[in-house]
Amino acid sequence: MNTFSIKNVLKKNVMTIALIVIYVFFTIMTGGNMFTPSNVTSLIEQNAYVFILGVGMLMCMLTGGNIDLSVGSFVCFMGAIAGVLSVIKHVNTPLTLILVVVVGVIYGAILGFLIAYLKIPPWIATLAGYLAFRGLGTQILISVSDTSAISNFPPELLGIFSGRIFESAWGTLNIPCIVLGVIGAAAVVYINISTRANKVKKGYQADPLGFVIGKSVLEVAVILILAYQLAMDGGIPVVLIWIIAVLIIYGIITEKTTIGRHFMTVGGNAETARLSGINNKLVMFCAYLNMAVLTVLASLIVTARFGSANSFAGQNFEMDAIAACIVGGVSAYGGSGTVMGMVIGAALIGVINQGMSLMSIDQDWIKIVKGAVLLAAVVFDILSKKGNKRQ
């Protein structure tokens, strides 16, 4: 039985539609400034940490609505550690990267052990990290710098997480960027068509061919427009490569692997998961270990973007990551959510931030609007589930 309908499509893509509408609104209100190449690039670079941390937070939330409140403070702490190693101690870049990852793994393992095996509630364990790492990071920076900041990072370290690929002069069309955009668009079309063909071949329910073609056209248009904008602003930001890599890897993990299904099952019904042979404790442990490693990556990206480590780095990052997940349709109770949904949520939060900033609206009002959007997303999710149960 084919249950495809335009109503269902609209219902499933409410946040995507909201993202488009809000982006168009701010583009109009800013006289087109939101759509300039430099601001498109800025939107990606400023919100890179949200996409990275959002993926990690998604994995935590899938296990039962659990969150990590320590990520913002840990970003500050890891930035300080990276600064001490590479700038103060003059440790070479490869070893610096290895050491900061090791520190992240150690913290993630400790946190995962406390939560999964000692049964300490996640919000308490991560709240401790929220307080401790902000203090530790600040004290490290104060002890090595009169300005409470470390700058002059090695160019080779900064180049791994910032800058452009195949960089060209601003305003000059970057051909490699356009070529990669065309390749990406072709890949999207191939994936959409082949996915539908496989469903039809196996006798599964599939969307109408016309809908798949229309969807592909829209996605190709977005990719090509983005590629053109980036091409006119010097090329593809390095940070975008990191974002795409993380999103693809975790998209495959959550959608195509047994590990991803284990996360979903534990969050949906922990007892059922246990009885089916899933190691619930190990899943929870891995969720927080993974979160710590991704936080290290986010810290390096933020440090590279500003070229310095300071005590203010990471403030409210945990809230942005949680908001991206909730707005993107990740269940606050666990068991459901997608990487693509989180991406939509992160993009929506980023567009609101940038749009209101370009309109010179006070930061307090930006926080109010983001809070309202978050609440609206939760209410919509609850009402949608009630509506589905009645049907």
Side-chain angles (χ1 to χ4, degrees), residues 19 38 46 69 75-76 81 111 116 131 133 157 174 192 194 209 245 281 287 339 342 359 368 370 383 390:
L19 171 62
S38 58
Q46 288 179 1
L69 296 174
V75 164
C76 171
I81 294 295
L111 184 60
L131 297 171
F133 286 116
L157 176 61
N174 186 289
N192 287 344
S194 63
L209 180 59
K281 292 180 180 179
V339 170
M342 183 282 299
M359 291 174 65
I368 291 171
K370 288 197 295 184
L383 293 178
R390 290 195 191 99

Side-chain angles (χ1 to χ4, degrees), residues 59 62 253-265:
M59 302 305 288
L62 287 178
I253 289 174
T254 55
E255 300 289 336
K256 304 294 184 181
T257 68
T258 301
I259 296 173
R261 288 192 288 273
H262 284 181
F263 274 81
M264 298 281 189
T265 305

Side-chain angles (χ1 to χ4, degrees), residues 333-344:
Y333 305 102
S336 66
T338 64
V339 170
M340 185 52 64
M342 183 282 299
V343 170
I344 298 299

Side-chain angles (χ1 to χ4, degrees), residues 68-107:
D68 187 342
L69 296 174
S70 69
V71 294
S73 297
F74 198 53
V75 164
C76 171
F77 175 72
M78 291 311 303
I81 294 295
V84 169
L85 289 172
S86 62
V87 179
I88 306 300
K89 301 297 183 182
H90 304 292
V91 177
N92 64 65
T93 295
L95 184 55
T96 295
L97 295 177
I98 292 172
L99 291 175
V100 293
V101 170
V102 168
V103 173
V105 169
I106 291 172
Y107 171 60

